[in-house]
Amino acid sequence: QRHYEASLTAALRQKFPACRWLVGDALVTAAARAYVRSEPPRRPCIAEYGGTFPQHLARWEGAGAVPYLEAFARLEWTVGQISIAVDGPPLSWPSLCRVGSERLLDTHLTLQPCVRYLRFPWAVDDLMVLYMNETEPERFTLSRCDAPIEVRGARGAVSLNRLDAGTFAFRNALTAGDTIGVAADVALDAYPAFD
């Protein structure tokens, strides 16, 4: 049992190196040990284990001093998930045009498995870019703001893109399974200048 818990704790620590960089190894390791005991894996796939760890970590003793920790950990979890994704074959523009303008608005699109859309009340993407670039500025202020983010990656390469409200709403609606027409309406409601 002890070896099993130690292995799972080590796996969680490996999935959240940016959180260890941000708040220290001791805090993340202690939270991971408690998480392993309270929420053991429900499936045999270790790659899927830890999806709720960001919420657990944010509630851990000492984490209250970092109010954006849950958002940062959720972003890190997402980066880890998409970095191992594999792109599917893309839809070509001529294929899309063959649908015809009269049916285009009622068409559903499936986005690549290596793309996710997240929205945070903190600019945690700026902090993640510092970590990924191994940059340590003398001073850094994390701003509280609306941060709609596209996380894109495959085979280890990751990019974080801050989107305007309309583009985020449109793409997020497509991800949720809405048609192009419904997604465009959602985007226009969020951002009237959406094109």
Side-chain angles (χ1 to χ4, degrees), residues 63-186:
V66 186
Y68 47 85
L69 181 57
E70 181 178 347
F72 186 73
R74 279 186 52 218
L75 178 57
E76 181 170 26
W77 170 261
T78 303
V79 166
Q81 293 294 298
I82 60 103
S83 68
I84 58 173
V86 178
D87 278 342
L91 181 65
S92 68
W93 185 247
S95 297
L96 188 59
C97 290
R98 279 196 292 274
V99 169
S101 58
E102 65 282 351
R103 290 186 12 220
L104 186 62
L105 294 179
D106 295 325
T107 300
H108 293 268
L109 295 176
T110 302
L111 299 184
Q112 293 284 358
C114 61
V115 178
R116 300 285 190 286
Y117 295 96
L118 304 168
R119 185 174 225 146
F120 298 114
W122 296 91
V124 290
D125 53 326
D126 292 341
L127 192 56
M128 184 60 74
V129 167
L130 287 177
Y131 170 75
M132 292 189 313
N133 292 335
E134 298 180 1
T135 305
E136 292 189 28
E138 282 187 32
R139 184 181 174 130
F140 177 78
T141 303
L142 186 69
S143 59
R144 190 168 177 81
C145 65
D146 181 33
I149 303 166
E150 176 186 68
V151 184
R152 180 181 289 269
R155 298 186 182 108
V158 173
S159 66
L160 306 174
N161 305 304
R162 187 85 58 91
L163 302 176
D164 63 69
T167 303
F168 177 84
F170 179 73
R171 294 179 185 177
N172 200 42
L174 290 176
T175 301
D178 288 334
T179 64
I180 292 174
V182 170
D185 287 341
V186 169

